[in-house]
């Protein structure tokens, strides 16, 4: 057979094989970038949603007590790790829409974090006080760090965040302390302890660049800040006495710092017991302004581009949401999306915000430019909303 005939036959065979390979139904492929979850707190259910299609995809039941649940995501954004108030840690597969693993790891837990390399998921616990680290693939316990600040006394842990490397920072509510634990070798945790940071740290955050860890103080006006880039980190007090000379209001719901509102070189933080949002210069960490708002702020969250800051409130104003324009530092819109607004979550580029209204059993999707309602969906007692874009963010 001549060479050109062989080549022709080979070409024909290749075309035939290609045709055979393409026959049959195409595989069903989906990504995870436009997925998220909504916690249905009263039923122990996790609702899986599509943020591009703005619809509910599925509900995963059997997650226990979700009254203060929070969620982190695996690096590939396929799995959601759910921390239940009853101490359960549940791994949910967003693509198969099923529970992929579950462990009862404590008596009372209020959240957690995932390591930068995605290998460890860490729970912060009230009972027993401390943190526990688990292998993200198997949920096998690999490290246990009790928050023992005096012989036989364990503190409740709050404000747990991930740091670059396998490091985690967290606050000890009962010990007035911040601890930084290095889990590079989970079998031998190394913990740096910073005492006397101020009274009763109640929540904390890490700045988007992973440099500053900031804990809010419930027992006094002010915050505690640690520069994590220092060779020997120390605590610095900021905004001390921001309510000096004023009688604080009763606090009906603890503010949350995890939303972390940064716009340019300014940070926006809830003032405890006051109808104000504090504005802070992130270069000097000095207060540069205050914005009066409708009630006591709970979440103060910046749109991803920093142009707006959205605020929700504790009772009796928890049916409202207010929007601050960061160029003017003024309220530009007050919305009433439903009763008992508990949480807000922006889509990755901020064109929409999803808002849960627990007592109306509704999640609303709002256009952040026009403030029009783009969609609503019925979910039983919705609370926390978490999108997979968090997988790529420090401290989320």
């Amino acid at each position: 057979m001549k060479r050109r005939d062989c080549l022709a036959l080979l070409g024909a065979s290749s075309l035939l094989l290609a045709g055979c390979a393409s026959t049959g139904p195409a595989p069903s492929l989906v990504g995870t970038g436009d997925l998220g979850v909504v916690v249905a707190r009263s039923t122990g259910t996790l609702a899986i949603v599509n943020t591009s299609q703005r619809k509910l995809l599925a509900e995963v039941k059997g997650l226990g007590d979700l009254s203060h649940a929070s969620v982190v995501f695996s690096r590939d954004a396929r799995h959601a790790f759910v921390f239940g108030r009853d101490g359960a840690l549940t791994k949910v597969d967003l693509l198969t829409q099923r529970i992929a693993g579950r462990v009862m790891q404590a008596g009372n837990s209020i959240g957690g974090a995932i390591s930068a390399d995605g290998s460890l998921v860490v729970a912060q616990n009230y009972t027993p006080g401390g943190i526990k680290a688990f292998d993200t693939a198997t949920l096998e316990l690999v490290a246990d760090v009790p928050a023992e600040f005096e012989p036989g006394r364990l503190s409740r842990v709050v404000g747990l965040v991930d740091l670059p490397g396998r490091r985690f920072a967290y606050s000890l509510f009962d010990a007035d302390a911040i601890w930084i634990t290095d889990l590079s070798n989970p079998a031998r945790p190394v913990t740096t302890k910073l005492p006397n940071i101020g009274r009763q740290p109640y929540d904390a955050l890490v700045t988007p660049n992973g440099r500053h860890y900031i804990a809010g103080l419930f027992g006094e006006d002010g915050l505690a800040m640690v520069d994590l880039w220092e060779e020997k980190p120390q605590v610095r007090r900021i905004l001390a006495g921001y309510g000096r000379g004023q009688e604080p209001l009763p606090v009906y719901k603890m503010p949350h710092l995890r939303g972390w509102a940064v716009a340019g070189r300014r940070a926006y933080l809830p003032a405890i017991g006051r109808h104000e949002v504090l504005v802070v210069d992130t270069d000097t960490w000095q207060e540069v302004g205050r914005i009066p708002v409708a009630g006591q702020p709970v979440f103060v969250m910046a749109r991803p581009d920093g142009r707006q800051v959205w605020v929700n409130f504790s009772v009796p104003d928890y049916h409202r949401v207010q929007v601050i324009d960061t160029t003017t530092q003024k309220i530009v819109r007050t919305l009433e999306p439903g009763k008992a607004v508990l949480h807000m979550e922006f889509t990755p580029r901020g064109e929409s915000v999803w808002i849960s209204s627990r007592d109306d059993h509704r999640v609303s999707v709002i256009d952040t430019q026009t403030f029009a309602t783009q969609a609503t969906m019925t979910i039983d007692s919705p609370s926390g909303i978490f999108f997979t874009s968090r997988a790529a963010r420090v401290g989320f």
Side-chain angles (χ1 to χ4, degrees):
M1 184 180 291
K2 295 182 179 180
R3 183 172 183 273
R4 67 170 178 266
D5 294 332
C6 291
L7 291 174
L9 180 60
L10 179 62
S13 300
S14 300
L15 288 173
L16 179 61
L17 289 172
C20 292
S22 65
T23 60
S28 177
L29 299 176
V30 293
T32 57
D34 58 358
L35 298 183
V37 297
V38 180
V39 174
R41 59 187 292 161
S42 66
T43 60
T45 299
L46 198 68
I48 301 174
V49 297
N50 185 302
T51 62
S52 297
Q53 299 172 1
R54 301 177 189 140
K55 71 177 185 179
L56 173 65
L57 299 180
E59 293 184 328
V60 180
K61 301 181 182 299
L63 275 71
D65 183 354
L66 300 184
S67 58
H68 197 288
S70 64
V71 176
V72 297
F73 296 96
S74 58
R75 275 173 60 104
D76 63 1
R78 175 168 179 170
H79 293 101
F81 295 90
V82 186
F83 305 93
R85 191 61 185 257
D86 55 5
L89 170 60
T90 308
K91 180 179 180 181
V92 176
D93 189 320
L94 300 181
L95 295 184
T96 64
Q97 301 169 352
R98 292 182 173 86
I99 291 175
R102 181 172 167 84
V103 59
M104 294 298 297
Q105 59 86 32
N108 189 341
S109 183
I110 63 163
I114 191 165
S115 62
D117 65 1
S119 65
L120 301 176
V121 58
V122 180
Q124 64 178 18
N125 296 322
Y126 272 10
T127 307
I131 65 169
K132 291 183 179 180
F134 301 84
D135 183 290
T136 53
T138 64
L139 293 189
E140 175 189 0
L141 178 67
V142 295
D144 185 355
V145 183
E148 186 174 18
F149 63 99
E150 292 178 359
R153 293 190 63 190
L154 300 177
S155 173
R156 289 168 285 182
V157 170
V158 297
L160 175 71
V161 301
D162 62 283
L163 305 177
R166 288 181 173 180
R167 295 186 304 140
F168 298 85
Y170 48 101
S171 296
L172 279 60
F173 181 86
D174 304 294
D176 302 338
I178 291 172
W179 287 9
I180 304 168
T181 296
D182 188 332
L183 292 173
S184 297
N185 180 359
R188 291 193 177 100
V190 177
T191 299
T192 300
K193 301 178 181 180
L194 305 175
N196 304 316
I197 67 162
R199 292 172 51 205
Q200 298 177 322
Y202 68 88
D203 195 12
L205 55 86
V206 64
T207 51
N209 61 1
R211 178 169 184 174
H212 294 101
Y213 179 81
I214 300 174
L217 302 175
F218 185 67
E220 57 187 278
D221 289 348
L223 299 96
M225 184 183 73
V226 179
D227 186 340
L228 299 164
W229 290 5
E230 293 179 345
E231 185 176 349
K232 294 183 178 180
Q234 298 179 353
V235 176
R236 172 185 167 192
R237 297 293 300 282
I238 62 174
L239 304 184
Y242 61 74
R244 190 177 291 114
Q246 303 176 44
E247 184 68 26
L249 298 170
V251 177
Y252 297 108
K253 183 174 176 59
M254 285 282 207
H256 284 262
L257 297 181
R258 191 59 64 90
W260 186 234
V262 176
R265 58 180 285 178
R266 290 174 173 168
Y268 297 79
L269 302 168
I272 293 181
R274 309 190 187 283
H275 294 184
E276 294 175 326
V277 170
L278 306 176
V279 186
V280 182
D281 186 309
T282 58
D283 282 350
T284 65
W285 296 103
Q286 298 293 316
E287 180 184 327
V288 294
R290 299 188 185 194
I291 302 171
V293 290
Q296 293 185 31
V298 175
F299 280 101
V300 178
M301 302 178 69
R303 198 172 71 179
D305 64 357
R307 176 62 189 274
Q308 296 173 344
V309 169
W310 289 57
V311 187
N312 72 326
F313 306 98
S314 67
V315 293
D317 303 292
Y318 66 167
H319 60 293
R320 294 191 179 100
V321 171
Q322 289 193 310
V323 184
I324 298 169
D325 186 315
T326 58
T327 65
T328 64
Q329 308 296 305
K330 296 185 181 301
I331 302 291
V332 294
R333 187 62 63 104
T334 298
L335 305 171
E336 296 187 3
K339 298 177 183 176
V341 171
L342 293 191
H343 202 238
M344 302 172 289
E345 181 84 335
F346 291 96
T347 49
R349 300 198 183 190
E351 76 283 354
S352 301
V353 62
W354 289 46
I355 300 175
S356 62
S357 301
R358 182 195 63 198
D359 293 356
D360 279 336
H361 307 287
R362 180 169 65 234
V363 170
S364 304
V365 184
I366 308 294
D367 186 307
T368 59
Q369 294 286 347
T370 67
F371 305 110
T373 299
Q374 298 171 309
T376 61
M377 57 199 73
T378 300
I379 295 176
D380 204 357
S381 300
S383 54
I385 305 174
F386 307 88
F387 295 159
T388 55
S389 53
R390 288 174 172 246
R393 301 179 67 184
V394 173
F396 281 81

